[in-house]
Amino acid sequence: MTIADDKIGELDAHGTAGVTAVTTTALGLLLLFAQYSVVPIDLQDKRIYLPGTQDTISRPLSLEISEIDLFNQVNRIYDDLLKNQIELDTDFKRVLYGNLWNLYT
Amino acid sequence: MESLHVSPENDIFDQIRVFLPKYLTEEQTRHLFSELSKFPENLNFYTFRPELQEPFLQGDGWRGFVVIDFLTGDRKEVSGMILSNSCDVSPETLRDLPVNVLFAPLIQLSRYAEILRQAGKTEEQIENQIRNIKKQYVTSIFYVPQCPGSIEDSIILLDDIHAHPLQDFLGRQRRSLFTLNQYAFYIFLLKLSIHFSRFREGIDRFDNAA
């Protein structure tokens, strides 16, 4: 479990405003795929509400991307690097370090 | 010391902000998110803003560093990547004492592959090695993709670090090779962090009595 996941879990358990913000962000991204830029009917009658979101496809995506989304990406990369990290094979290392001086550009 | 009460939800967002660039615009936020989400395939590493080519920034590539062979004392001018914190090597900062620029020499990946061939490694072994290097999975190596007109696909070794006095470097013929963009800078910091700073080092450092 990542640090962010852990924190999100804590917030989730208590139902705080923090988890509301996280949920809102996730919902925002989901809605992005369910919206349309042009409504097929005239919406002069303000009592009519369509299930999608009118006209927001042209808004910057960053309206839907928050700091926690960025942080989650950084965290994902950190986890990926940690999980997949490997040492250089001994033979490869020997060849590399034995020729360093000549390999410098 | 006076304690500061911070609610959990404010705390996590404050902590997150510490790790993110200040004053991100909406467009920059969207762009950075997009770039990060494409790791490890994303090789868009460089910014070409002219005003960022002159200062010495952490992660910059420069031609003009000098390495000294510990055993023979030989010297060689090389291309290298700055590991020092940007503030620590800023020429504008007034200091009481001289400082060194910490750098790691650049090594062309194609030349490394060539000596591996000469050492009898198979193409499959070499390709596997290079694939892992390019994904940044080899802990002690930071992969630096080609920068057109400047460098070929290269690597630096995070355990091959040298120091060059800043004043000497300023007085030398030198040339900027590349400047990392925000995305690549984050990858670089993560690699540095993993290589040098491991909270879980697996060693019990407590006194026996503790």
Side-chain angles (χ1 to χ4, degrees):
Chain A
M1 178 179 281
T2 62
I3 295 171
D5 286 340
D6 191 31
K7 285 286 185 188
I8 290 168
E10 285 175 24
L11 293 170
D12 197 20
H14 300 292
T16 61
V19 73
T20 309
V22 173
T23 310
T24 307
T25 307
L27 275 175
L29 286 171
L30 284 173
L31 284 171
L32 208 63
F33 297 101
Q35 62 188 343
Y36 29 75
S37 56
V38 180
V39 181
I41 57 171
D42 182 15
L43 279 184
Q44 294 302 316
D45 187 345
K46 298 298 180 190
R47 292 170 301 174
I48 298 174
Y49 294 101
L50 295 173
T53 314
Q54 181 191 4
D55 218 16
T56 53
I57 195 84
S58 58
R59 293 183 191 173
L61 184 60
S62 52
L63 286 178
E64 313 295 341
I65 293 176
S66 68
E67 289 160 322
I68 200 164
D69 295 308
L70 278 183
F71 184 76
N72 280 337
Q73 278 301 325
V74 174
N75 215 29
R76 177 190 67 81
I77 294 170
Y78 189 77
D79 283 345
D80 186 40
L81 291 173
L82 272 184
K83 189 175 66 183
N84 293 300
Q85 63 177 323
I86 53 172
E87 293 294 326
L88 208 54
D89 177 82
T90 307
D91 270 357
F92 282 77
K93 202 168 190 172
R94 188 177 295 117
V95 173
L96 177 58
Y97 285 78
N99 291 277
L100 264 190
W101 191 257
N102 294 326
L103 284 172
Y104 292 151
T105 56
Chain B
M1 190 172 76
E2 186 181 353
S3 64
L4 178 67
H5 175 74
V6 183
S7 64
E9 57 269 32
N10 286 337
D11 189 30
I12 188 170
F13 287 115
D14 287 344
Q15 286 181 39
I16 287 170
R17 288 188 185 100
V18 169
F19 294 100
L20 298 174
K22 291 179 180 175
Y23 316 120
L24 274 181
T25 64
E26 290 176 354
E27 175 62 20
Q28 288 168 338
T29 304
R30 185 191 62 78
H31 181 72
L32 181 56
F33 180 87
S34 170
E35 294 295 299
L36 290 168
S37 65
K38 288 180 277 188
F39 176 85
E41 286 75 25
N42 186 3
L43 300 182
N44 177 23
F45 266 44
Y46 305 112
T47 176
F48 298 96
R49 282 170 51 194
E51 70 272 24
L52 294 182
Q53 309 305 311
E54 185 51 34
F56 303 136
L57 302 178
Q58 189 174 38
D60 270 4
W62 283 85
R63 177 77 191 167
F65 288 118
V66 173
V67 291
I68 301 172
D69 188 304
F70 182 81
L71 296 175
T72 64
D74 288 346
R75 290 166 172 253
K76 186 175 186 179
E77 185 178 271
V78 300
S79 300
M81 190 168 168
I82 296 177
L83 274 72
S84 298
N85 184 288
S86 305
C87 299
D88 291 346
V89 292
S90 167
E92 283 77 38
T93 305
L94 295 174
R95 300 179 179 85
D96 294 330
L97 296 168
V99 295
N100 290 328
V101 184
L102 297 182
F103 71 96
L106 285 163
I107 294 168
Q108 281 180 15
L109 207 46
S110 60
R111 293 185 64 195
Y112 175 41
E114 187 53 40
I115 61 162
L116 287 173
R117 278 187 202 99
Q118 290 168 10
K121 299 296 177 190
T122 67
E123 285 303 316
E124 187 182 359
Q125 287 175 317
I126 295 170
E127 280 173 20
N128 281 339
Q129 188 75 82
I130 288 178
R131 190 181 308 119
N132 283 324
I133 286 174
K134 287 187 172 181
K135 286 188 172 183
Q136 306 288 5
Y137 289 158
V138 181
T139 316
S140 59
I141 292 178
F142 183 71
Y143 166 61
V144 190
Q146 68 159 325
C147 184
S150 189
I151 62 160
E152 294 181 24
D153 268 2
S154 301
I155 56 174
I156 61 164
L157 309 179
L158 297 178
D159 59 355
D160 183 35
I161 297 172
H162 301 253
H164 192 134
L166 177 61
Q167 280 308 313
D168 182 86
F169 188 62
L170 287 172
R172 284 180 172 272
Q173 284 278 348
R174 61 185 191 282
R175 181 165 58 93
S176 170
L177 298 173
F178 58 80
T179 301
L180 297 183
N181 61 24
Q182 191 67 51
Y183 156 72
F185 181 60
Y186 271 15
I187 305 300
F188 182 54
L189 290 187
L190 291 175
K191 290 283 292 191
L192 286 180
S193 167
I194 289 172
H195 185 72
F196 288 108
S197 316
R198 298 176 192 176
F199 272 91
R200 296 179 182 176
E201 64 171 359
I203 296 171
D204 180 356
R205 291 171 179 265
F206 291 103
D207 292 331
N208 286 335

